[in-house]
Amino acid sequence: ANDSRISQVAFLAEKLVAAASHARWMESPGLSVAFEELRLSVLKPAEADLQKAGEVVRQSNYENITVNAEGLRSLYAREQILLSEFPDALYLPLQVIRIGDCVVGTLPGEFFAETGLKLKSAVAGRYFTVTMANGNVGYVPPEQEKKKGGYETWRCRYSCLEDKAEETVREKLLKLINRKA
């Protein structure tokens, strides 16, 4: 196992040296930053869902919970109660950093790779996305992923933004990127 790690490190070191030899150094790269906070609504449980969740929570034994369908039902019900106490909206800090001809977009949460790829294809030149930057609002899946229903889309404290949140964030970040200084 140790020999494998050494060969992986050697491989990465070779790639780094090769890439660095092609780096284009700039004497005085321009530097600019754009920042904006975006307000997005929190999806909360409906009153009927909250009442059902309350019944499940009252019947649950959280001290001895097991990982099975009943345990997950109890945990999800608890999430609905806790989510109902969240504010009605969250504020997402979006930031664009320009260093020379490179653009870095920052997003405050766990966005899908699809979001970064869409941003990269929409930006002329060198671009990359940094997530979990300046905060963490949890999972922000594209709307079509919400329709598929993966665990990242279940309404809870870590996945609670309005359905079109990813699209709204992506479009706002692109406006920041395209804004002339």
Side-chain angles (χ1 to χ4, degrees):
N2 204 18
D3 288 342
S4 173
R5 287 188 184 153
I6 290 171
S7 65
Q8 289 173 347
V9 169
F11 174 78
L12 290 174
E14 287 173 17
K15 293 290 187 186
L16 180 61
V17 169
S21 67
H22 298 293
R24 206 179 73 219
W25 298 100
M26 299 175 83
E27 290 289 322
S28 300
L31 177 64
S32 67
V33 176
F35 177 88
E36 197 163 317
E37 245 182 358
L38 179 62
R39 180 185 188 275
L40 293 176
S41 297
V42 171
L43 292 177
K44 293 186 177 186
E47 191 58 40
D49 292 337
L50 201 51
Q51 287 177 2
K52 287 178 190 173
E55 292 172 22
V56 172
V57 167
R58 283 188 289 283
Q59 296 170 9
S60 296
N61 179 357
Y62 290 99
E63 296 297 321
N64 297 307
I65 201 158
T66 56
V67 181
N68 59 21
E70 190 60 33
L72 292 175
R73 183 173 174 256
S74 294
L75 291 173
Y76 189 72
R78 182 175 177 270
E79 276 298 312
Q80 300 314 294
I81 302 293
L82 294 170
L83 179 59
S84 73
E85 298 168 2
F86 258 46
D88 291 336
L90 294 178
Y91 292 87
L92 289 71
L94 305 179
Q95 190 173 36
V96 174
I97 304 164
R98 291 182 187 281
I99 305 169
D101 62 354
C102 182
V103 178
V104 180
T106 70
L107 300 171
E110 293 196 50
F111 287 75
F112 284 41
E114 175 182 327
T115 302
L117 292 171
K118 283 182 177 180
L119 286 164
K120 188 175 183 86
S121 70
V123 176
R126 299 185 318 159
Y127 172 83
F128 69 93
T129 303
V130 176
T131 61
M132 307 285 282
N134 301 318
N136 180 13
V137 295
Y139 291 122
V140 187
E143 189 173 18
Q144 73 273 8
E145 294 302 321
K146 283 190 151 200
K147 292 175 184 172
K148 292 178 185 175
Y151 72 90
E152 308 96 330
T153 68
W154 298 346
R155 185 186 61 220
C156 65
R157 292 173 294 161
Y158 204 72
S159 183
C160 63
L161 295 176
E162 59 190 69
D163 288 336
K164 292 189 179 288
E166 183 273 344
E167 180 182 350
T168 302
V169 169
R170 185 172 28 86
E171 288 175 359
K172 180 57 110 178
L173 189 64
L174 281 171
K175 284 181 183 175
L176 271 177
I177 288 167
N178 293 322
R179 187 166 71 188
K180 299 300 177 205

